Amino acid sequence: MLDFRIETFLAVCRYLNFTRAAEALCMTQPAVTRHIHFLQDYYGVKLFTYEGKRLTLTPEGEQLRWAALAMCHDEEKLKRELQGRRGMDRPIRFGATMSIGEYAMPAHLSGYLSRHPDADIYMAVDNTQHLLDALDRGDLDFAVVEGYFTRSEFDSIPWSSEPFFCVCAANYALPNGTLSIEDLLGENLILRTPGSGSREVLVHALAEQNCYVSDFRHTIQISDLHVIKELVKNGCGITFLYGRAVARELEEGSLRQVPVQGFPIYHEFTFLWRKGSIFESEFRSLFEELCGFPQANA
């Protein structure tokens, strides 16, 4: 069981405000202050400092935060395993971003279940940021993401390098030949909502060409990939997606790839977990079992 003062510390890290942390924990501010003072005395270091009026973590405080998040993650996993059924495979709780969860993971997951028919599995499909937050809380054991993450806070294994490119409806009117991003700015851009991995990848790729999402004629932000593809198929605009997510539509001819300078780019799908976890060897084995076996149509 985590010391209650560590939970207080993590709340202050989250809000960087003693008053807001106290409100979230249903405690008084002096109680929060006492908990932080105890931890600073115990570890013999200063955990927070003020830069002007802004509360910030010291380097030592940041190091404790990383360790505390790993402990929180591991405690929740250990609790689930201790409460699990004897003689059964260990329960697995993991997350996958939408492109991975819907288009890359199912064949691999079915292969895993064929080898472990008694496995208890929970898979959450969500955007990258929500999955990273769930890892911090210990709600998930690991995640497979397409977006960016802080490498100092997570251990990771690259799964695959995936092409990311522009697509439009088969009969969408665009000039012939390879286009520049500037040639596309007069189009409607249909993209995922903030926090999604594919949106982050697009934002970074556009920035490399000194362009922004806001430069396009109109932006249509949708959280669901299926809706995005249907809008594009109906000629409502263009979008940028991973090849796996549009493989079927490209094959059947309802969508076509748009040749654009600087695209396709390649971005990693990454298997990750909290750095410092005591379950690292288990996660590495799960990667081999869940992601390392090629499956048909994977």
Side-chain angles (χ1 to χ4, degrees):
M1 179 185 297
L2 280 180
D3 188 286
F4 60 92
R5 286 161 291 214
I6 290 292
E7 295 177 359
T8 302
F9 168 72
L10 288 174
V12 177
C13 291
R14 186 160 55 250
Y15 296 105
L16 290 177
N17 183 291
F18 280 74
T19 301
R20 290 185 63 194
E23 292 171 351
L25 295 169
C26 298
M27 296 170 56
T28 65
Q29 184 175 330
V32 170
T33 302
R34 285 197 300 273
H35 290 180
I36 299 304
H37 284 168
F38 173 88
L39 291 173
Q40 291 184 147
D41 290 342
Y42 180 81
Y43 288 107
V45 295
K46 194 172 182 64
L47 300 175
F48 296 95
T49 187
Y50 280 95
E51 295 180 358
K53 294 184 178 181
R54 183 170 174 268
L55 186 68
T56 62
L57 278 160
T58 64
E60 295 80 10
E62 187 65 33
Q63 185 175 357
L64 179 60
R65 185 182 75 88
W66 295 346
L69 286 171
M71 288 188 289
C72 178
H73 169 276
D74 287 353
E75 183 186 31
E76 289 301 315
K77 176 172 169 55
L78 180 60
K79 187 191 304 181
R80 289 193 295 271
E81 292 190 358
L82 291 175
Q83 294 172 351
R85 291 172 290 176
R86 292 183 180 178
M88 308 292 281
D89 287 332
R90 288 181 174 183
I92 299 172
R93 293 180 65 89
F94 74 100
T97 48
M98 192 166 292
S99 296
I100 296 170
E102 294 192 10
Y103 302 104
M105 187 57 69
H108 287 266
L109 189 56
S110 65
Y112 181 87
L113 287 170
S114 70
R115 296 186 295 275
H116 302 275
D118 294 327
D120 287 338
I121 292 178
Y122 171 88
M123 182 179 81
V125 179
D126 210 330
N127 70 42
T128 299
Q129 190 54 57
H130 288 166
L131 294 178
L132 297 181
D133 291 342
L135 284 172
D136 286 347
R137 294 191 303 270
D139 294 342
L140 300 175
D141 299 336
F142 59 88
V144 191
V145 305
E146 65 207 67
Y148 296 91
F149 59 94
T150 306
R151 293 188 179 273
S152 61
E153 296 193 15
F154 296 92
D155 283 321
S156 62
I157 306 173
W159 182 14
S160 63
S161 182
E162 301 289 331
F164 184 80
F165 48 78
C166 181
V167 295
C168 69
N171 59 353
Y172 194 79
L174 284 173
N176 294 325
T178 300
L179 306 178
S180 67
I181 286 294
E182 287 76 12
D183 293 329
L184 298 175
L185 297 182
E187 309 299 326
N188 291 339
L189 175 64
I190 306 172
L191 74 165
R192 294 285 309 285
T193 47
S196 73
S198 58
R199 181 188 176 112
E200 284 186 294
V201 171
L202 176 59
V203 167
H204 279 75
L206 292 176
E208 290 291 324
Q209 301 193 39
N210 295 312
C211 287
Y212 303 89
V213 166
S214 58
D215 292 334
F216 286 80
R217 177 174 176 268
H218 291 301
T219 56
I220 302 165
Q221 303 180 65
I222 307 288
S223 62
D224 188 275
L225 272 178
H226 294 290
V227 176
I228 290 176
K229 291 195 292 184
E230 287 303 312
L231 291 176
V232 174
K233 283 193 285 186
N234 289 328
C236 297
I238 63 171
T239 192
F240 291 77
L241 292 173
Y242 286 103
R244 291 209 198 204
V246 292
R248 179 177 300 174
E249 289 80 6
L250 292 175
E251 183 177 354
E252 69 187 15
S254 58
L255 293 176
R256 64 181 174 90
Q257 183 175 345
V258 180
V260 180
Q261 293 173 11
F263 289 88
I265 61 172
Y266 287 82
H267 188 76
E268 286 183 350
F269 286 176
T270 306
F271 183 104
L272 57 81
W273 62 93
R274 283 297 319 178
K275 185 178 286 292
S277 172
I278 61 173
F279 296 102
E280 177 179 352
S281 61
E282 179 183 332
F283 296 147
R284 290 187 178 276
S285 295
L286 277 169
F287 171 79
E288 294 298 330
E289 273 262 59
L290 191 59
C291 300
F293 285 80
Q295 303 291 332
N297 302 320

